[in-house]
Amino acid sequence: MIRIESMNESHVCAVAELEKQNFSEPWSENSVRGELTNQLALWLVALDGDAVVGYVGSQTVLGEADMMNIAVSHTHRRQGIARMLVQELIARLDAGMLTLEVRASNAPAIALYESLGFQQVGLRKNYYRKPKEDALILRKEWNT
């Protein structure tokens, strides 16, 4: 059974490894670890037993949150874990909106976000570098 917890030091290596497996420009282990002491940050992990199988990270400034990263291990995809992570993040945020960037070609992620009530509010041309691609800016607002 998958459970969602706040990221702690014991999760950092696994989160950094998921970064390497999922992104062309992954955050380093030290960058992930730095989020533990960042007062603006909220990072959650999805655990299957003791194994980190997904995570989501955000930063909040003045009531507006930005989703920094989200990933689920290849072996645990299509099980609703990303949905659980985003829903739990929203529930825990001290904010009234959540914004994120997503590759314009990432149809599965866009479909997930739209099903959760996110709407496109902009476009960042050439936001991603490896490979070069535009990012859709999506936002969800709610009453806190």
Side-chain angles (χ1 to χ4, degrees):
M1 177 154 192
I2 302 298
R3 67 186 191 286
I4 309 295
E5 294 182 2
S6 295
M7 183 177 75
N8 64 46
E9 178 62 37
S10 71
H11 305 129
V12 169
C13 290
V15 168
E17 184 57 35
L18 281 174
E19 276 279 313
K20 289 180 203 170
Q21 293 171 12
N22 286 282
F23 299 110
S24 61
E25 296 185 82
W27 284 35
S28 69
E29 188 175 317
N30 283 336
S31 293
V32 172
R33 182 174 286 109
E35 293 299 282
L36 293 172
T37 57
N38 180 348
Q39 294 183 356
L40 304 176
L42 173 60
W43 284 58
L44 305 173
V45 293
L47 300 170
D48 186 357
D50 291 332
V52 174
V53 297
Y55 68 91
V56 64
S58 69
Q59 292 185 4
T60 302
V61 176
L62 300 173
E64 296 184 13
D66 185 36
M67 186 187 306
M68 311 303 289
N69 298 29
I70 185 170
V72 174
S73 72
H74 295 286
T75 58
H76 285 77
R77 289 194 179 160
R78 312 280 314 154
Q79 297 178 28
I81 295 171
R83 176 178 299 278
M84 290 171 52
L85 283 163
V86 174
Q87 289 173 322
E88 186 66 19
L89 178 68
I90 289 169
R92 293 188 188 197
L93 282 171
D94 185 20
M97 72 172 53
L98 178 60
T99 304
L100 59 91
E101 289 88 13
V102 60
R103 283 186 180 275
S105 65
N106 192 343
I110 293 166
L112 168 67
Y113 299 136
E114 288 177 346
S115 76
L116 289 167
F118 286 82
Q119 297 180 334
Q120 184 176 345
V121 296
L123 177 75
R124 295 194 200 284
K125 297 295 277 177
N126 299 316
Y127 180 77
Y128 295 102
R129 297 186 300 184
K130 294 182 183 178
K132 187 175 270 191
E133 187 173 354
D134 296 343
L136 304 182
I137 305 168
L138 304 181
R139 179 176 296 145
K140 177 180 174 74
E141 298 182 27
W142 62 91
N143 295 327
T144 55

